[in-house]
Amino acid sequence: MQLVIFDIDGTLTNTYKVDEDCFKRAFALEFGIFGVHTNWSEYSYTTDSGITQEIFKEKLKRLPSDEELIRIKARFVSLLQEAYINNQDLFSEIPGSANVLAKLQLYPDWCVAIATGGWRESAKLKLQKANLEIEGIPLASANDALSREDIIKTAIIKAENLYQVEKFQKVVFIGDGVWDVKAAYQLSIAFIGIGNNILINIGATKVIQDFTNLDDFMTILQDAEIPRFSMNTILHITKRQQWQQAKNLGTYRADSLDSEGFIHCSKSTQILKVAKRFFDNQKELVLLFIDSEKVQAEIRYEPAEIGELFPHIYGELNIDAVYQVIDFEAGKDGLFELPQEVINLEL
């Protein structure tokens, strides 16, 4: 038996924009938290649970309580319901998705599951309003785990239990985001992108626009391959406060841009050397993951004192080139360790 797992927003439903708008409004109305940035790829976990934790830590300097999580979910769902009443077109299906969900369940060799970075309550509402029938289909969500990888793993386990399969011969994940390609790559499962051709540039082998041609989709599904996550990443260490200011301004300037004419960056194999040499005993540091192909300023690889070539950005850094930001500080022993996110770049 084989398993196909679908994401929801942007994959099964055209609800990405209304989801984003209602999510931001929920924080403003429920907790008075404004200025939530929506470059979701910057968050450590691109899921509702992970993003909520990070927003609370950034704005309130603490994690949300269980009661607060209940409140934000309820407010979010209420806003989605209100949005549907005002404009039902905001909850349309990706063309052919209802049909493909129904037909796939008739194929003897394929099982179906859903894995979403959204919360279960809002996910089910969006699917319902888009007229997608998921009765009998296992669903994993941000209620189950923080990371997309763990949510997908949960979907696989739920599918194994429901369909009474010890281990699926093949698992294919279908999604629309950069984080979806990365999750499939890290889990070593096949991937099909939908609607976003940029996914080809970072490792997806196939991207489709929608599900209108069922026969073509089934052929692509059968031939789906594990992606090679190949974003050309360079890294930069900075202060958390400096990065927060950059997000408000829309562009990032390091002090070295004024003093030396460029922003110092590193490759994944160089970052520990840089951290040990220049950031010893410093606190409140973050590590920027930069897609070099999106950087608008010129990048030059130039020799440093230690004899290696380092990437230097000759100009301000446009923040949309930053696809992930993580905390980066030395441990209690004063030593820096290579984060798993950096290790993954080298795989």
Side-chain angles (χ1 to χ4, degrees), residues 243 250-252 290 294-297 315-322:
W243 175 242
T251 186
Y252 171 80
I290 303 165
K294 285 188 176 182
V295 175
Q296 295 172 1
E316 295 184 350
L317 172 62
N318 48 300
I319 63 170
D320 61 339
V322 178

Side-chain angles (χ1 to χ4, degrees), residues 162-177:
L162 178 66
Y163 299 113
Q164 297 184 335
V165 174
E166 184 174 345
K167 183 178 177 61
F168 288 103
Q169 297 171 340
K170 181 178 184 178
V171 177
V172 183
F173 183 53
I174 301 177
D176 63 294

Side-chain angles (χ1 to χ4, degrees), residues 39 125 246 295 311:
N39 186 358
L125 175 68
V295 175

Side-chain angles (χ1 to χ4, degrees), residues 183-315:
Y185 166 68
Q186 291 181 338
L187 293 173
S188 296
I189 60 176
F191 179 80
I192 298 173
I194 182 161
N196 190 351
N197 285 323
I198 195 175
L199 301 182
I200 291 288
N201 298 333
I202 59 170
T205 59
K206 189 66 179 179
V207 175
I208 60 175
Q209 292 307 303
D210 54 40
F211 304 103
T212 51
N213 191 318
L214 182 61
D215 291 337
D216 284 354
F217 173 72
M218 293 307 300
T219 299
I220 294 168
L221 186 61
Q222 194 64 55
D223 296 337
E225 300 175 354
I226 298 171
R228 174 64 183 173
F229 191 72
S230 56
M231 186 174 285
N232 294 322
T233 299
I234 56 177
L235 304 168
H236 176 75
I237 304 170
T238 188
K239 291 282 189 179
R240 182 179 292 108
Q241 183 179 5
Q242 196 167 356
W243 175 242
Q244 294 299 333
Q245 292 171 348
K247 289 191 293 184
N248 293 331
L249 295 172
T251 186
Y252 171 80
R253 292 182 64 90
D255 295 338
S256 64
L257 188 58
D258 296 319
S259 60
E260 301 177 65
F262 58 83
I263 299 173
H264 287 272
C265 294
S266 307
K267 294 180 287 187
S268 60
T269 54
Q270 300 169 324
I271 197 64
L272 275 187
K273 301 174 189 175
V274 171
K276 291 174 182 177
R277 183 168 184 180
F278 298 105
F279 295 90
D280 189 35
N281 294 321
Q282 294 191 37
K283 302 294 184 182
E284 298 291 313
L285 298 175
V286 293
L287 183 61
L288 309 185
F289 289 66
I290 303 165
D291 180 357
S292 61
E293 295 181 1
K294 285 188 176 182
V295 175
Q296 295 172 1
E298 180 186 4
I299 299 176
R300 302 178 196 168
Y301 282 80
E302 299 176 312
E305 294 178 6
I306 60 175
E308 295 183 26
L309 294 177
F310 282 78
H312 296 155
I313 301 176
Y314 276 79

Side-chain angles (χ1 to χ4, degrees), residues 50-264:
I51 292 168
T52 297
Q53 283 196 6
E54 201 159 330
I55 290 171
F56 264 72
K57 285 194 289 186
E58 177 186 332
K59 302 292 187 179
L60 303 178
K61 310 305 180 187
R62 62 178 176 82
L63 290 173
S65 66
D66 290 342
E67 184 268 338
E68 287 170 326
L69 285 175
I70 292 172
R71 285 169 54 194
I72 193 67
K73 290 177 188 178
R75 175 72 76 164
F76 184 31
V77 169
S78 175
L79 290 172
L80 287 170
Q81 290 171 328
E82 179 183 311
Y84 178 77
I85 292 172
N86 293 332
N87 186 357
Q88 296 183 13
D89 292 339
L90 296 174
F91 292 79
S92 61
E93 66 165 326
I94 296 295
S97 60
N99 181 56
V100 79
L101 282 180
K103 293 295 178 62
L104 270 170
Q105 295 179 78
L106 302 177
Y107 281 81
D109 295 334
W110 284 96
C111 298
V112 185
I114 294 173
T116 175
W119 284 311
R120 183 182 302 113
E121 298 86 348
S122 54
K124 286 188 173 181
L125 175 68
K126 286 176 286 187
L127 290 166
Q128 176 193 5
K129 299 305 184 185
N131 295 314
L132 297 182
E133 178 55 60
I134 63 163
E135 184 69 31
I137 297 178
L139 184 150
S141 69
N143 295 57
D144 299 303
L146 275 179
S147 74
R148 285 187 176 261
E149 291 82 0
D150 286 340
I151 291 171
I152 294 171
K153 288 179 185 177
T154 301
I156 294 172
I157 292 171
K158 288 185 176 184
E160 288 172 343
N161 293 335
L162 178 66
Y163 299 113
Q164 297 184 335
V165 174
E166 184 174 345
K167 183 178 177 61
F168 288 103
Q169 297 171 340
K170 181 178 184 178
V171 177
V172 183
F173 183 53
I174 301 177
D176 63 294
V178 171
W179 42 81
D180 295 323
V181 182
K182 188 175 182 181
Y185 166 68
Q186 291 181 338
L187 293 173
S188 296
I189 60 176
F191 179 80
I192 298 173
I194 182 161
N196 190 351
N197 285 323
I198 195 175
L199 301 182
I200 291 288
N201 298 333
I202 59 170
T205 59
K206 189 66 179 179
V207 175
I208 60 175
Q209 292 307 303
D210 54 40
F211 304 103
T212 51
N213 191 318
L214 182 61
D215 291 337
D216 284 354
F217 173 72
M218 293 307 300
T219 299
I220 294 168
L221 186 61
Q222 194 64 55
D223 296 337
E225 300 175 354
I226 298 171
R228 174 64 183 173
F229 191 72
S230 56
M231 186 174 285
N232 294 322
T233 299
I234 56 177
L235 304 168
H236 176 75
I237 304 170
T238 188
K239 291 282 189 179
R240 182 179 292 108
Q241 183 179 5
Q242 196 167 356
W243 175 242
Q244 294 299 333
Q245 292 171 348
K247 289 191 293 184
N248 293 331
L249 295 172
T251 186
Y252 171 80
R253 292 182 64 90
D255 295 338
S256 64
L257 188 58
D258 296 319
S259 60
E260 301 177 65
F262 58 83
I263 299 173
H264 287 272

